[in-house]
Amino acid sequence: MPLDDALYVPDDTDRAVNDAVEYLVEFQRDDGSIYDRGNAIAMTSLSIMAMASVGVTPESSTPRGRALSQALDFVLDDRNQDDQGYFGNRDGSRMYGHGITTLMLTELLGMGVSIEQNRRIHASLEKALRLILAAQAVSKRRPEYVGGWRYTPTSKDSDLSVSIWQLMALRSARNDGLDVPGEAIDTALQYLRNSYTSPLDRDGNPRAKVAGFSYTPGTRSPSFTMTSAGLLAMQVCGEYDSPLVSGAADWLIQNPPRSHERFFFYGVYYYAQGMHQVGGRYASTALRLVPALLLDEQRSDGSWIGRSSDEQRYGNVYATALAVLSLSVRYHYLPIYQR
């Protein structure tokens, strides 16, 4: 439901999201970027997605709309994307940042404040997608790594955390009608299946009814963050009825998010969006747990701060943007998170 609907009385989640967006807007720098601890392109892209997820669009008549447009212009600056189409080099965010930025651009395609901004989004996306496809095609060291991505465009191995951003970007781009071969999605889905912690039989069914996803193939110990990420990615690719989806959702019911998770904000973002898409008791459980975990931790300026040293080093913009994306499931604005 839109935050500005005059017939709707804002609740605690609406107020928290509103304060968080205000924090991101006020934190914006003169060049349009939104970041505090580095990785300027990736963090600005994450902030754009967070604001867009609650209904902010690039336009010139409101402070938030202008802020979003300026942030988009910063990302699209020619200096931020090299000749190969790579976004992850200049700000040190590597393929993580490249996937985040490419996904953001697919979600904002056609929403630019002007025809010229939309043209620049499209041109930038074409190069960024070519790089993702080329990185996926690099010969891998082990067969189970095929279809995935890792830290650099030339990596010969793969991990689930990096791969999911690229996969979501490809799927979103394909939804936009951009040129993404179906084989690329299919191969990435096979990599996802290789990352499931239960062995699969000849028909692709897991031997264990309840299981999750791991950081790299061959690991039989699922983690909260990777299981949440795998759950969302499978559904983004249309695999709603897969036994891997039901098995991961059940695993997350048994292993709900905890405040001491090493990558708490990262995991809760995937958890909130993934469980929402499963629906039913899974969605209602997440809708109850996520605000309970996040709202009391929001600081007076509207921001969140990482709980572990691993997340604190990425800064408050990172934690705040992911918190907004986690709380945004009720608004249904970004197409990639819609079933």
Side-chain angles (χ1 to χ4, degrees), residues 158-172:
S158 308
D159 74 59
L160 190 59
S161 186
V162 174
S163 295
I164 284 192
W165 288 108
Q166 321 310 316
L167 176 54
M168 289 199 297
L170 290 180
R171 183 63 190 190
S172 179

Side-chain angles (χ1 to χ4, degrees), residues 62 85 94 96 142 152 180 182 187-188 212 218 225 238 260 278 285 306 314 327:
T62 66
R94 301 186 289 179
Y96 271 113
R142 294 166 57 182
T152 71
V180 175
T187 308
T225 299
H260 62 268
V278 179
T285 297
Y314 292 113
L327 294 168

Side-chain angles (χ1 to χ4, degrees), residues 181-200:
E183 310 88 78
I185 305 292
D186 293 341
T187 308
L189 270 170
Q190 186 55 49
Y191 176 75
L192 270 178
R193 296 184 186 104
N194 290 341
S195 302
Y196 200 63
T197 57
S198 170
L200 307 182

Side-chain angles (χ1 to χ4, degrees), residues 265-276:
F265 287 95
Y266 193 51
V268 167
Y269 150 66
Y270 285 127
Y271 171 81
Q273 298 290 349
M275 295 290 266
H276 173 73

Side-chain angles (χ1 to χ4, degrees), residues 143-159:
E144 58 266 38
Y145 291 154
V146 171
W149 295 262
R150 210 167 193 192
Y151 299 133
T152 71
T154 57
S155 292
K156 293 182 177 295
D157 52 2
S158 308
D159 74 59

Side-chain angles (χ1 to χ4, degrees), residues 199-267:
L200 307 182
D201 63 22
R202 290 182 180 180
D203 297 323
N205 295 312
R207 293 175 184 165
K209 184 178 179 181
V210 178
F213 290 87
S214 61
Y215 181 64
T216 53
T219 304
R220 297 305 176 200
S221 298
S223 71
F224 167 75
T225 299
M226 289 300 94
T227 299
S228 299
L231 174 67
L232 177 60
M234 291 288 291
Q235 294 178 100
V236 162
C237 293
E239 298 291 305
Y240 301 109
D241 298 324
S242 168
L244 278 65
V245 167
S246 57
D250 284 334
W251 189 91
L252 288 167
I253 287 289
Q254 296 175 16
N255 299 272
R258 311 287 186 187
S259 59
H260 62 268
E261 299 288 345
R262 183 182 175 193
F263 291 101
F264 171 80
F265 287 95
Y266 193 51

Side-chain angles (χ1 to χ4, degrees), residues 104-174:
M104 179 277 291
L105 292 174
T106 64
E107 293 296 286
L108 271 289
L109 185 62
M111 293 173 58
V113 73
S114 65
I115 293 174
E116 173 60 17
Q117 192 175 62
N118 281 325
R119 184 199 65 77
R120 292 172 65 202
I121 293 172
H122 190 275
S124 183
L125 261 179
E126 288 188 322
K127 294 190 295 182
L129 291 166
R130 282 198 298 269
L131 182 126
I132 291 176
L133 293 170
Q136 185 188 38
V138 169
S139 178
K140 307 301 181 185
R141 291 192 180 95
R142 294 166 57 182
E144 58 266 38
Y145 291 154
V146 171
W149 295 262
R150 210 167 193 192
Y151 299 133
T152 71
T154 57
S155 292
K156 293 182 177 295
D157 52 2
S158 308
D159 74 59
L160 190 59
S161 186
V162 174
S163 295
I164 284 192
W165 288 108
Q166 321 310 316
L167 176 54
M168 289 199 297
L170 290 180
R171 183 63 190 190
S172 179
R174 191 170 172 83

